[in-house]
Amino acid sequence: MIGRRSFGKALGVGAGAAAAGLAGPRSAAAVPAATPTGTGTHTGPHTGPHTGTYTAFPRIKQIKAGVLEIGYAELGPAHGPVVICLHGWPYDIHSYVDVAPLLADRGYRVIVPYLRGHGTTRFLSDRTFRNAQQSAIAMDVIALMDALKIHRAVLAGFDWGSRTADIVAALRPERCKALVSVSGYLVTSLEANLRPLAPKAELAWWYQYYFATERGRLAMEDKTLRHDLTRLVWDTVSPTWDFDDATFERTAAAFDNPDYAAVVVHNYRWRLSLADGERRYDGLEKLLAARPTIGVPTVTLDAERDPFTAPGGGTSYRDRFTGPYEHRTLPGIGHNVPQEAPAAFARAVVDADRL
């Protein structure tokens, strides 16, 4: 288990400062500490700046929510304030395998769901369109909260997870107590996506254009090619993260979901206006096209070594956040922020909740 002293060292602050910064919703004395058997599989002390402490969650739960049966991990006290952690692509719930115990130890009830098309999450009907447009994924989170009888939660995410959390915070602010968003404001503008970027930025998005082709779709359906493609993405977007093969393989297992290829390909084709969404979401997409502001308390995180991090230290999206706000840049960290820098991510959650 990561104690306060270890947590403080990971953040580069003293034990006292870490304890103050992570007091969370209740005092530490009032919240029993989680145990290794309740939080994950312990693998020993940190051996490097990005080496995790846990390798697995407890058993995965399942619940029917909207058009899905959603698989999710849950840690922490059942009646604690809720944090929902949302993963990106090509990742899964293991991006939060070290974040979740840190938050659970501070009294939070932590929910980490597999997004549609990933892990044990399944569509309830074979007839349901395997849609991955942004508003559909965001409404999955609302459906999950309804199914779990959660009225409000802190939402925290990166990549697809940031976009999803941003949308819920913008369109359903009554459901979002606070927000942690890696890369800031990621609501997709279909109109803007029709215009070319600078060549260097376009290069980082190579797989988006690959998925627009039939070759890319076939590659995602081929288990070996899918495995190697997603591993390449991990290597290139997190250049300083010294992860081992076992860490990748734990996540890659989530890509064997029967709807994975369809969901991923549709997501990227939809962003480029090469695939249609569903009419039921037209109203939400119209609202999102106006780039709505987010008024809930927010901490945004930029990863210095992430090729998708916008220049300017968060200035390009600052005007989209109108409530209590903090921005942080994480030196030496790549795209998978919660798994590369779990202590910093967990602290951002606690701090956002206290803004």
Side-chain angles (χ1 to χ4, degrees):
M1 175 54 58
I2 302 175
R4 295 183 194 174
R5 186 175 303 275
S6 299
F7 192 92
K9 291 171 72 174
L11 280 165
V13 299
L22 276 175
R26 312 176 193 175
S27 67
V31 181
T35 63
T37 56
T39 57
T41 304
H42 191 269
T43 61
H46 287 279
T47 58
H50 308 310
T51 301
T53 298
Y54 291 85
T55 61
F57 284 105
R59 70 178 182 86
I60 302 302
K61 299 180 178 181
Q62 300 288 138
I63 190 167
K64 291 182 179 179
V67 300
L68 302 172
E69 181 181 275
I70 296 177
Y72 66 99
E74 180 174 356
L75 281 72
H79 300 292
V82 181
V83 178
I84 299 177
C85 296
L86 301 168
H87 68 80
W89 182 88
Y91 305 97
D92 81 328
I93 63 173
H94 289 89
S95 290
Y96 296 98
V97 75
D98 283 310
V99 169
L102 289 170
L103 294 173
D105 277 357
R106 270 65 195 181
Y108 288 97
R109 179 187 178 192
V110 186
I111 307 292
V112 190
Y114 284 111
L115 299 184
R116 55 170 61 192
H118 294 72
T120 62
T121 292
R122 296 289 189 274
F123 287 88
L124 295 175
S125 172
D126 291 338
R127 296 187 297 274
T128 302
F129 175 43
R130 272 38 178 174
N131 180 6
Q133 71 185 105
Q134 60 182 356
S135 55
I137 298 175
M139 291 305 102
D140 290 344
V141 175
I142 297 297
L144 175 64
M145 293 175 69
D146 289 346
L148 293 173
K149 296 180 171 56
I150 296 169
H151 176 60
R152 295 177 77 212
V154 178
L155 300 181
F158 77 106
D159 195 89
W160 289 22
S162 288
R163 179 173 296 105
T164 303
D166 288 351
I167 292 170
V168 175
L171 300 186
R172 299 288 188 272
E174 73 280 2
R175 309 301 298 270
C176 183
K177 184 181 181 186
L179 172 69
V180 174
S181 184
V182 175
S183 304
Y185 189 86
L186 290 187
V187 176
T188 295
S189 168
L190 295 182
E191 181 181 0
N193 277 3
L194 294 175
R195 297 188 292 270
L197 302 172
K200 186 176 181 180
E202 296 281 28
L203 178 63
W205 284 108
W206 65 270
Y207 53 83
Q208 177 174 237
Y209 310 123
Y210 186 44
F211 295 154
T213 71
E214 183 65 6
R215 285 164 63 105
R217 185 189 67 79
L218 292 174
M220 286 303 289
E221 292 181 348
D222 183 289
K223 183 172 182 177
T224 299
L225 293 174
R226 178 174 68 233
H227 175 279
D228 294 349
L229 185 153
T230 51
R231 176 62 187 255
L232 176 61
V233 172
W234 274 42
D235 289 335
T236 55
V237 302
S238 293
T240 59
W241 183 26
D242 187 22
F243 62 89
D244 59 17
D245 290 343
T247 297
F248 175 75
E249 296 302 336
R250 277 188 291 272
T251 287
F255 308 159
D256 291 337
N257 183 298
D259 298 308
Y260 183 76
V263 165
V264 171
V265 169
H266 182 266
N267 178 280
Y268 288 104
R269 290 185 178 183
W270 178 85
R271 293 195 211 183
L272 295 176
S273 297
L274 298 175
D276 293 330
E278 291 181 273
R279 293 188 64 181
R280 72 171 82 176
Y281 300 110
D282 285 353
L284 296 177
E285 294 297 345
K286 184 176 181 180
L287 294 173
L288 295 173
R291 300 184 74 238
T293 58
I294 294 173
V296 305
T298 299
V299 173
T300 56
L301 300 173
D302 275 354
E304 181 191 41
R305 298 301 302 275
D306 181 354
F308 303 112
T309 295
T315 57
S316 64
Y317 50 74
R318 177 63 185 92
D319 66 332
R320 296 299 88 196
F321 298 96
T322 59
Y325 178 81
E326 290 184 13
H327 174 77
R328 299 168 187 176
T329 297
L330 304 180
I333 300 301
H335 190 68
N336 187 1
V337 170
Q339 203 162 2
E340 295 182 55
F345 192 93
R347 182 164 186 170
V349 170
V350 173
D351 290 348
D353 192 25
R354 298 169 68 185
L355 284 176

